[in-house]
Amino acid sequence: MTTLIIIRGNSGSGKTTLAHQLHRVLPDSLLISQDIVRREMLNVKDQVGNLSISLIEQLLEFGNQQEQFVILEGILKNSVYGPMIRKQIQYFSQVVTVYYQLSLNETVRRHCTKQVTDFTPNDLTRWYQRDDSLRVEGEMIFDESVSLMMAEKQILTKINKY
């Protein structure tokens, strides 16, 4: 009985911070970061059919067999990762999907609070997608009014760990 927590959104939205916080408080959890898999492990472009899609899918399957919680976080564009995510959702006993739907100004503001980054506000503007939610049942949409603490509480409440 494994719970899948999917946290998606634009660069700078806060998804990685939230994922790391959940990983700290949830025992027996696997954290899968799209950036780690795609950029650091495989160094592939974020496009349909890239190798990170199948590796993330294999990691999800591993986590489903070995862990109580699997946390998947990243931009995870619907057009690129959506089909794989929708397929994997059916194999987990519980699924929580989160999409950070923030304005471009808020993502740039949050990005500027980071100490070290490898991209600029201009990059954020180029990559920004206004609404890329998965549109799956129960998807939680977080806007800029949802703090890290509120997001964590909402997710933990949904999985009965609060």
Side-chain angles (χ1 to χ4, degrees):
M1 300 261 297
T2 302
T3 297
L4 173 61
I5 302 168
I6 303 167
I7 305 169
R8 301 174 55 253
N10 283 297
S11 291
S13 60
K15 62 195 172 303
T16 303
T17 303
L18 174 59
H20 281 277
Q21 179 60 27
L22 291 169
H23 187 53
R24 277 191 290 277
V25 301
L26 292 172
D28 302 316
S29 64
L30 170 66
L31 173 58
I32 304 168
S33 171
Q34 176 197 5
D35 279 350
I36 300 295
V37 174
R38 186 186 68 78
R39 295 170 57 200
E40 294 181 27
M41 294 173 70
L42 295 171
N43 193 25
V44 295
K45 294 188 185 292
D46 198 17
Q47 60 192 20
V48 173
N50 78 73
L51 288 176
S52 70
I53 299 166
S54 61
L55 182 52
I56 289 170
E57 187 167 30
Q58 289 176 29
L59 290 168
L60 288 169
E61 291 169 4
F62 171 85
N64 195 10
Q65 294 171 9
Q66 302 296 325
E67 299 288 354
Q68 186 176 358
F69 300 97
V70 176
I71 304 162
L72 173 62
E73 72 84 15
I75 296 171
L76 297 162
K77 291 180 190 174
N78 194 3
S79 61
V80 177
Y81 299 87
M84 178 272 293
I85 291 171
R86 283 185 193 82
K87 177 183 162 193
Q88 284 297 310
I89 282 174
Q90 66 185 328
Y91 300 121
F92 287 81
S93 59
Q94 182 180 21
V95 178
V96 176
T97 55
V98 171
Y99 180 69
Y100 272 100
Q101 189 165 308
L102 307 177
S103 68
L104 174 59
N105 287 341
E106 181 64 11
T107 59
V108 170
R109 186 193 72 73
R110 290 183 183 195
H111 169 75
C112 290
T113 66
K114 295 179 180 179
Q115 291 182 0
V116 178
T117 63
D118 56 354
F119 49 89
T120 67
N122 286 339
D123 293 325
L124 291 175
T125 301
R126 233 182 32 254
W127 301 331
Y128 181 79
Q129 293 186 302
R130 195 170 93 53
D131 179 10
D132 192 41
S133 68
L134 288 173
R135 292 172 177 73
V136 295
E137 186 177 336
E139 185 171 28
M140 299 164 61
I141 306 295
F142 291 167
D143 63 18
E144 41 234 35
S145 71
V146 178
S147 69
L148 174 61
M149 202 179 312
M150 291 167 60
E152 178 185 357
K153 182 178 179 180
Q154 286 184 43
I155 293 168
L156 293 176
T157 299
K158 195 160 190 170
I159 62 172
N160 298 317
K161 289 292 181 187
Y162 189 82

